[in-house]
Amino acid sequence: MTNFRPSGTQWTLSHGDQTATVVEVGGGLRGYSVGGTEILDGYAEGELCPAGSGQLLMPWPNRIRDGHYRHAGQAHQLPLSEPSLHNAIHGLVRWLPWHVAEQSDGLLALECGLEPQIGYPWRLDLRVEYRLGDLGLTVTHHVANRSADPAPFGVGTHPYLRIPGHAVDELTLTVPARTRLLVDGRMLPIGAAKVAGGEFDFTEPRRIGALELDTAFGDLVRDGDGGSTVSISAPDGRAVHVWADANFHWWQLFTAHTLTGERHRRAVAIEPMTCPPDAMRSGRDLIELAPDETWQGTWGIRADLGA
């Protein structure tokens, strides 16, 4: 099949000089360009989504130790989707088909039903709305619990951002967070540390250099509206900002140092998360929805690329 597309149907949104591409498989973001500059390190139409690029991470982001957790006194065992580290990683909707619920100029809304299954016996109705406007790309998540019992969940996303012409080492990073999680060899949290004054302190803009990050940052310094913003900028002044509203309490930063080939340290994954890694076990910032209760949260991308 010459036109085979592993990510399924492709939808394109446009506004002014902005263009975004959203895919059916996983409902994620495959591309985002501003003024002809591709700032999302996405993937080709005929390529299988690599390294979680642009994917939606629900009903949990990041990792769960051994895929095992307890909720309301019941034990649950998830498939080990990261078998090399014996973890369950990045939720259950990354490879599910999403369908169009609404489409108009500058707006695309997709929906997906997450059915009860071994390891996660709740039914969730999921909706994601992509909007392009004068202030960039805005993404809003809606989650509704259609189960008879309270459902635990978290939301994360996985966009890789880049400024073409500049490697990760050359970029300046700003992360408004006072702490970072310490992890073991399986990338699972074992503690936390304050970042003040250390090599992980990006509360003020600082060059990334050779530092390798696959790090969850918390205790956020909030904007006036309760949200927070992570930024990368190049020596020429061009910058990309990822922002998230007050419903997102964590940022995961990944410098793509474990990726191979041309993707190696070409972009920074800037991942807003409602909860930290292993939250299904720890309960930290884990959202619990009562039957028929709904939740929503919003994040977005803004580029300052000059004239």
Side-chain angles (χ1 to χ4, degrees), residues 138-151:
T138 300
V139 185
T140 299
H141 300 270
H142 301 264
V143 182
N145 179 13
R146 302 306 184 200
S147 313
D149 300 304

Side-chain angles (χ1 to χ4, degrees), residues 120-290:
Y120 194 82
W122 297 277
R123 175 177 287 115
L124 300 181
D125 283 347
L126 307 174
R127 178 183 172 103
V128 59
E129 298 170 355
Y130 294 93
R131 287 182 173 85
L132 285 180
D134 293 344
L135 298 179
L137 174 68
T138 300
V139 185
T140 299
H141 300 270
H142 301 264
V143 182
N145 179 13
R146 302 306 184 200
S147 313
D149 300 304
F153 81 98
V155 174
T157 66
H158 210 288
Y160 288 81
L161 283 308
R162 61 187 297 229
I163 301 176
H166 295 279
V168 166
D169 301 45
E170 303 170 16
L171 300 178
T172 294
L173 175 66
T174 308
V175 183
R178 301 180 183 92
T179 63
R180 66 179 176 99
L181 292 186
L182 307 175
V183 296
D184 61 16
R186 293 167 58 190
M187 300 304 297
L188 293 160
I190 54 174
K194 295 184 181 300
V195 300
E199 63 176 346
F200 294 92
D201 187 352
F202 291 95
T203 52
E204 297 295 331
R206 191 162 60 83
R207 187 170 177 269
I208 296 173
L211 185 65
E212 296 180 350
L213 294 172
D214 192 353
T215 307
F217 290 87
D219 192 9
L220 303 181
V221 181
R222 300 286 186 174
D223 302 332
D225 60 1
S228 60
T229 302
V230 171
S231 302
I232 54 172
S233 61
D236 60 13
R238 292 181 297 164
V240 175
H241 314 278
V242 184
W243 58 269
D245 71 13
N247 294 293
F248 291 84
H249 304 288
W250 297 82
W251 290 95
Q252 182 84 16
L253 276 293
F254 172 49
T255 49
H257 52 279
T258 60
L259 304 188
T260 58
E262 62 181 11
R263 300 185 75 90
H264 178 75
R265 286 183 74 84
R266 185 172 68 180
V268 181
I270 304 176
E271 311 167 38
M273 305 187 299
T274 59
C275 58
D278 217 14
M280 294 290 273
R281 290 171 63 97
S282 70
R284 189 171 186 183
D285 292 323
L286 190 66
I287 300 162
E288 184 165 297
L289 279 185

Side-chain angles (χ1 to χ4, degrees), residues 32-55:
Y32 178 44
S33 65
V34 179
T37 299
E38 186 66 55
I39 60 172
L40 189 85
D41 196 13
Y43 52 101
E45 193 171 307
E47 185 182 4
L48 186 69
C49 176
S53 178
Q55 289 186 322

Side-chain angles (χ1 to χ4, degrees), residues 55-66:
Q55 289 186 322
L56 308 181
L57 316 179
M58 296 176 283
W60 75 88
N62 217 286
R63 295 169 171 86
I64 300 174
R65 184 182 296 273
D66 301 320

